[in-house]
Amino acid sequence: MKCTLCFCGLLFFSMMVQTQAQTAKDFADIWDKRHVSRIAPSLVRHRDLQKYLDELKKTGLKIETVGTSYGGRDIYQAEWGTGATRVFMWSQMHGDEPTATSALVDMLAFLQTSGEKSWVKELKNDLTIRVVPMLNPDGAELFQRRNLQFIDINRDARALSTPEGRLLKKLRDLWQPDIGFNLHNQNALTTVGKTNRQATISLLAVSGDPQGKFDEKHLRTKRICSVMASALETLIKGNIGRYDDAYNPRAFGDMISAWGTPVILIETGALHQKDEMYLVKLNFVAYLAALKSLVDKSEQKADAKIYDALPFNDTGNLFNFIFRRANIINLAEANATFSADVAVNAERRRTGETAPSYVQDIGDLQIYAGLDEYDARDFYLVAKNGLLKIGTSGEFLFYKKTRKIDWTAKDLEKS
Ligand SMILES: [Zn+2]
């Protein structure tokens, strides 16, 4: 009899644990099965966002047009939940930084259609989440950072010259959210500290104080960043960085924090050989981990030191391509042949588009890494324009060293 009781107790306890603890892996599995964003974020135009939002509206989600861009495109805000804690999330104020827009759509779709799950019910009762996906629809249309006035909206928090910036401030001021999430993308070559590892996600608990003084609100955002970092660790260990929190009075993150809503910045980079959708999943996992921690209060117990221990972002350690020990022939200069490493970077483009590439460095580049590296010892490398120079096109012709080539030939490219 005693043994049976004991067994029941254990079973009951394990069921409790199962229903209460959602792990990062659970969130990732949910995204795998339930995500509604179907195209790569960089291909999502304003009309695609409208289609996503129309689908969400059909599920009963509250979505309003809250403003218009400089180019006259509608800007939307979705609202989910009925709770006292107000969470404000906005994405793509930089038009060519699209990952979070898709992740927010996936998050809203999941929350809206998962009311039967007890933990989602708790989120709904305790939080009200307002989401502005694609704050800069004109920039998104052109896949450019700035809006149609060519102003960087994230440097317009003080001057408020852009309709998009004015809208963001208005939405914040009217509602006074408890926490803000400012969602961006960073360069794919940003590294975790001085390592060659890509910073796939970088976090920042934004300081709202010019002197960088800490208060309870700032400490809370640090703890939430720790929660997200711990969740992401299980998926991208070693690829998480953080930004330094130097105060910028023109940036929205800093100013919204100063106005009373502590802001968390999430910057999505890239992970070599993983596509854009994987990055959407990482964002989805981070958001759910953060929101869940606000409701089950695990945020209050999280250790801010986990966030503090994340290495700062760095740049310049990593290139898109390095051709090692190439034998360089400069056709434009007689007899200019030498051996060197050549580093090339590609510009940010939409998935599927050819990204222009440029020579970044020439010489002994052993201390650096390339996402793709090629051993070019057995090849001649000829720049297509005839002279290998920093800043010129990264299009090269390669010739096996064993071949006898007439470098003066007019149709060299054909050979
Ligand atoms: Zn940005």
Side-chain angles (χ1 to χ4, degrees), residues 19 29 33 40-41 64 73 84 100 104 128 153 180 206 224 260 270 317 373 395 409:
T19 53
D29 288 345
K33 292 192 192 99
E64 295 175 326
R73 291 189 173 87
L104 289 171
T128 302
I153 298 168
V206 179
I224 298 168
N317 311 306
E373 296 204 3
E395 286 185 60

Side-chain angles (χ1 to χ4, degrees), residues 79-83 123-125 127-129:
E79 182 179 303
W80 182 84
T82 53
L123 254 62
K124 190 167 188 176
N125 291 335
L127 305 178
T128 302
I129 304 169

Side-chain angles (χ1 to χ4, degrees), residues 90-156:
W90 63 94
S91 72
Q92 216 167 349
M93 66 158 61
H94 292 142
D96 59 350
E97 301 180 9
T99 306
T101 299
S102 293
L104 289 171
V105 166
D106 288 340
M107 179 194 81
L108 289 168
F110 166 70
L111 292 175
Q112 177 67 10
T113 57
S114 306
E116 79 289 352
K117 292 187 197 305
S118 61
W119 66 272
V120 174
K121 227 176 271 173
E122 282 169 28
L123 254 62
K124 190 167 188 176
N125 291 335
D126 290 4
L127 305 178
T128 302
I129 304 169
R130 286 189 180 173
V131 168
V132 178
M134 200 184 277
L135 182 68
N136 178 5
D138 300 337
E141 203 65 21
L142 299 167
F143 207 60
Q144 70 178 28
R145 179 181 176 88
R146 291 163 184 254
N147 80 341
L148 274 194
Q149 297 159 283
F150 297 100
I151 292 176
D152 183 338
I153 298 168
N154 206 27
R155 299 291 177 269
D156 190 38

Side-chain angles (χ1 to χ4, degrees), residues 188-189 272 318-322 344-347 369-373:
L189 301 174
H272 194 45
L318 189 61
F319 297 92
N320 284 114
F321 306 98
I322 294 184
V344 172
N345 281 349
E347 287 193 345
L371 289 176
D372 288 301
E373 296 204 3

